[in-house]
Amino acid sequence: QVQLVESGGGLVQPGGSLRLSCAVSGFTLDDYAMGWFRQAPGKEREGVACISGRDGNTEYVDSVKGRFTMSRDNGKNTVSLQMNSLKPEDTARYYCAVLLGRRCEDEYNDWGQGTQVTVSS
């Protein structure tokens, strides 16, 4: 059974940092692309970052490039999202997702319950 459990969200001031983690089980992490997407109230879901299966190439939405870094630890079955220089517009619920295949172009297949990130002074 696939399980994805996010942690690490919270309240942070603009310019601050947070590190989100996602513990996964039920599948071999390296065989699939993994992603983070976010959703704010009244807004559509937005893909934020993705790391492809096997080769580990990363992709980011333009609005977070240079500020967010996604990584994967196959030995610990975790993926992480380091978020620096946070802005109020980054406020959203963040979800960890496993994609259908190894490519970041594949669709999301399953995701966790999410973790709330609020950026406010």
Side-chain angles (χ1 to χ4, degrees), residues 1-4 23-34 77 96-99 110:
Q1 181 180 1
V2 172
Q3 286 192 320
L4 304 103
V24 310
S25 60
F27 63 97
T28 301
L29 184 59
D30 199 36
D31 284 347
Y32 296 90
M34 297 293 297
N77 283 340
C96 170
V98 56
L99 283 66
D110 204 352

Side-chain angles (χ1 to χ4, degrees), residues 5-103:
V5 180
E6 302 95 335
S7 62
L11 172 64
V12 63
Q13 292 187 344
S17 298
L18 282 175
R19 185 176 181 86
L20 305 184
S21 293
C22 176
V24 310
S25 60
F27 63 97
T28 301
L29 184 59
D30 199 36
D31 284 347
Y32 296 90
M34 297 293 297
W36 288 92
F37 66 86
R38 63 189 179 187
Q39 189 159 24
K43 294 188 177 181
E44 293 187 356
R45 185 173 73 181
E46 178 184 43
V48 174
C50 178
I51 187 166
S52 60
R54 296 295 172 91
D55 59 16
N57 291 329
T58 52
E59 299 180 9
Y60 303 93
V61 68
D62 285 347
S63 60
V64 309
K65 284 181 180 178
R67 300 189 297 122
F68 290 12
T69 303
M70 184 173 182
S71 60
R72 182 179 67 205
D73 187 329
N74 295 329
K76 295 182 178 179
N77 283 340
T78 59
V79 293
S80 299
L81 185 68
Q82 177 67 40
M83 306 187 296
N84 299 328
S85 302
L86 283 160
K87 304 175 181 180
E89 51 263 43
D90 294 318
T91 296
R93 192 163 187 87
Y94 284 70
Y95 298 84
C96 170
V98 56
L99 283 66
L100 282 171
R102 294 177 185 171
R103 305 177 310 150

